[in-house]
Amino acid sequence: MTPGHLKLFDTMTRSKRPFEPLEPGEVKMYVCGPTVYGDPHIGNFKSFISADLLRRWLEYRGYDVVMIMNITDIDDKTIRDSAKAGEAIKEFTQRYTRSFLRGLDLLNIRRATAYPRATEYIPQMITFIQALLDKGVAYVTGDGVYFDIDKFPDYGRLSGVDLTQTQSTERMAKDEYDKESAQDFALWKKSTPEELARSEKEQGLAWDSPWGEGRPGWHIECSVMTRDLLGDTLDIHAGGEDLVFPHHTNEIAQSETLTGKQFVRYWVHIRHLMINGKKMSKSLGNYIGFDEVLAKYSSDAFRYFYLGTQYRRPLDYTDDAMKSAEGSVKRLENTLDLLEAACKASNTNLDLGPRERKLLDEVERHRSAFEAAMDDDLDSHTALDSLHAMSGAINDYLTATPNKGVTLRAYNTYRRLLDALGLFEKRGGGADKLTEDLIKTLIDLRNHFRKEKNYKSADEIRNRLASLGVILADNAEGTNWKIEK
RNA sequence: GCCGGGUUGGCUGAGCGGUUUAGGCGGCUGCCUGCAGAGCAGCUCUACGGGGGUUCGAAUCCCUCGCCCGGCUCCA
């Protein structure tokens, strides 16, 4: 593993840049996580899977990655919807946090190092905001504390939006907040009378501060939590494309004003998912939850679907696309089945002949192409091409009696690349010794029936095992089995 | 209105001036198999949103029009 070849597209410079962390060999990575006010949908998970892919690839490349993902559990929507549900905000957000974590596990998304929640960082936020006030870049009004963007000369550079040219939108015109400039953003919001009334009965809604009871603005949590957990400068900050402006733009203004240091070295933004050619939105009623998808397709197919397109390119969720992904991923998994079976089987091919050399050459060649693709701003689509090519070469090799040692080499490489993509982590198997022996006994019995041409009994054994999730497959060398998940 | 991304065969999705116009899925045929599954071999599928232009030659460059997606203050 030679770190240093990876190139990432950085939103700030709008270009692919060679990735180099501040500390050699270590990556400090922060990903904007969910606001827990409802069950996450498959669009949210595109960001999380892409971030997971980046993290896995950095680890493949030998970096030690610390990854933090925030959970926003206090904001307008959590307040509004918990009230609507007639539930205490804390219970409400905890419920949806669990739902989010469940989704991560179902989709083989590796857990981040930590998931800090906004409500656990209120004292640090207050300190942070006070420091900004002391620097004279923020001001207090009747309804909150605001950051004065005129005090940050570089404001808006990330998004490329020239704010002096921006047309005032209807939303901005209707802005009810008490700000000096429409574009200033809230650091702290004073509680409304309704919120105060509610907070007498439950916690997690309002906190004391030098500016009165209230709650944090949206952007401050990320600036505070990144600093606390990762330091002043992050190597990578990732999130959905919608966060470029205003969220990340405002984070930069806050953090860099406070620390005087570069906040983030590489900004990674992930393109949103579409559905049937349309944007996914609540108003169109076309939001889909991951449970709905997993009821029809495997989690590997779902992951493959996301991997089938580079993370900055548009991706459209359709039934056809999912079916196609299911077929493609099955093909890759079949190769894994064949490899595992070949590694278990006993055979007498001990040669390193032309077939073996050819296989090893091809495996190397495709591995190298895979790595080059992933190094090129995580081009998972091209990487999958190499994986399919490798799969074909392996299948071809396994049509004749393989050399077990050579097979093992191919397996190790193939498996490592699959791990980098997060595919087929939850494999069947995992049977205990007794179960394994019982299955083998039944296979022997069945093969005995087959030899006697008693196919009725042989098929009954196969069918009944299949109904238990144990799949048998005959080949020239014998019978392979696996347990389906 | 402004800024950015996209528009490719039955589906998915590369190509970014000219060798076979990828790969995968699907479909078909053959091999293998008692059958099934998987695999292998072969075939099918000749497309580039519309209209102009540049060029010996364009999906690929330029112009123009259309459509889709995102951002323009709280949506991953």
mmCIF file of all heavy atoms in Angstrom, chain A residues 53 127 324 457 460 474:
data_model
loop_
_atom_site.group_PDB
_atom_site.id
_atom_site.type_symbol
_atom_site.label_atom_id
_atom_site.label_comp_id
_atom_site.label_asym_id
_atom_site.label_seq_id
_atom_site.Cartn_x
_atom_site.Cartn_y
_atom_site.Cartn_z
ATOM 1 N N LEU A 53 -17.557 4.234 1.525
ATOM 2 C CA LEU A 53 -16.657 3.797 0.464
ATOM 3 C C LEU A 53 -15.336 4.554 0.542
ATOM 4 O O LEU A 53 -14.262 3.960 0.421
ATOM 5 C CB LEU A 53 -17.308 4.039 -0.894
ATOM 6 C CG LEU A 53 -16.504 3.587 -2.104
ATOM 7 C CD1 LEU A 53 -16.426 2.068 -2.168
ATOM 8 C CD2 LEU A 53 -17.112 4.135 -3.396
ATOM 9 N N THR A 127 -19.486 28.415 24.424
ATOM 10 C CA THR A 127 -18.132 28.962 24.488
ATOM 11 C C THR A 127 -17.677 29.456 23.114
ATOM 12 O O THR A 127 -17.094 30.538 22.968
ATOM 13 C CB THR A 127 -17.147 27.879 24.986
ATOM 14 O OG1 THR A 127 -17.650 27.358 26.206
ATOM 15 C CG2 THR A 127 -15.761 28.451 25.184
ATOM 16 N N SER A 324 -31.154 -4.940 -12.535
ATOM 17 C CA SER A 324 -29.861 -5.075 -13.200
ATOM 18 C C SER A 324 -28.748 -5.237 -12.170
ATOM 19 O O SER A 324 -27.865 -6.082 -12.307
ATOM 20 C CB SER A 324 -29.621 -3.844 -14.072
ATOM 21 O OG SER A 324 -28.395 -3.954 -14.721
ATOM 22 N N SER A 457 -35.269 -39.634 -4.535
ATOM 23 C CA SER A 457 -34.774 -39.428 -3.171
ATOM 24 C C SER A 457 -33.676 -38.371 -3.141
ATOM 25 O O SER A 457 -33.618 -37.544 -2.227
ATOM 26 C CB SER A 457 -34.228 -40.741 -2.614
ATOM 27 O OG SER A 457 -35.253 -41.707 -2.585
ATOM 28 N N GLU A 460 -35.232 -35.052 -3.348
ATOM 29 C CA GLU A 460 -35.948 -34.687 -2.134
ATOM 30 C C GLU A 460 -34.979 -34.139 -1.088
ATOM 31 O O GLU A 460 -35.256 -33.148 -0.414
ATOM 32 C CB GLU A 460 -36.717 -35.879 -1.574
ATOM 33 C CG GLU A 460 -37.602 -35.435 -0.420
ATOM 34 C CD GLU A 460 -38.476 -36.546 0.139
ATOM 35 O OE1 GLU A 460 -38.543 -37.619 -0.489
ATOM 36 O OE2 GLU A 460 -39.073 -36.308 1.203
ATOM 37 N N ASP A 474 -24.005 -29.350 -7.687
ATOM 38 C CA ASP A 474 -23.113 -30.430 -8.125
ATOM 39 C C ASP A 474 -22.134 -29.926 -9.179
ATOM 40 O O ASP A 474 -22.477 -29.068 -9.993
ATOM 41 C CB ASP A 474 -23.950 -31.557 -8.762
ATOM 42 C CG ASP A 474 -24.983 -32.084 -7.788
ATOM 43 O OD1 ASP A 474 -24.641 -32.253 -6.610
ATOM 44 O OD2 ASP A 474 -26.141 -32.301 -8.223
#
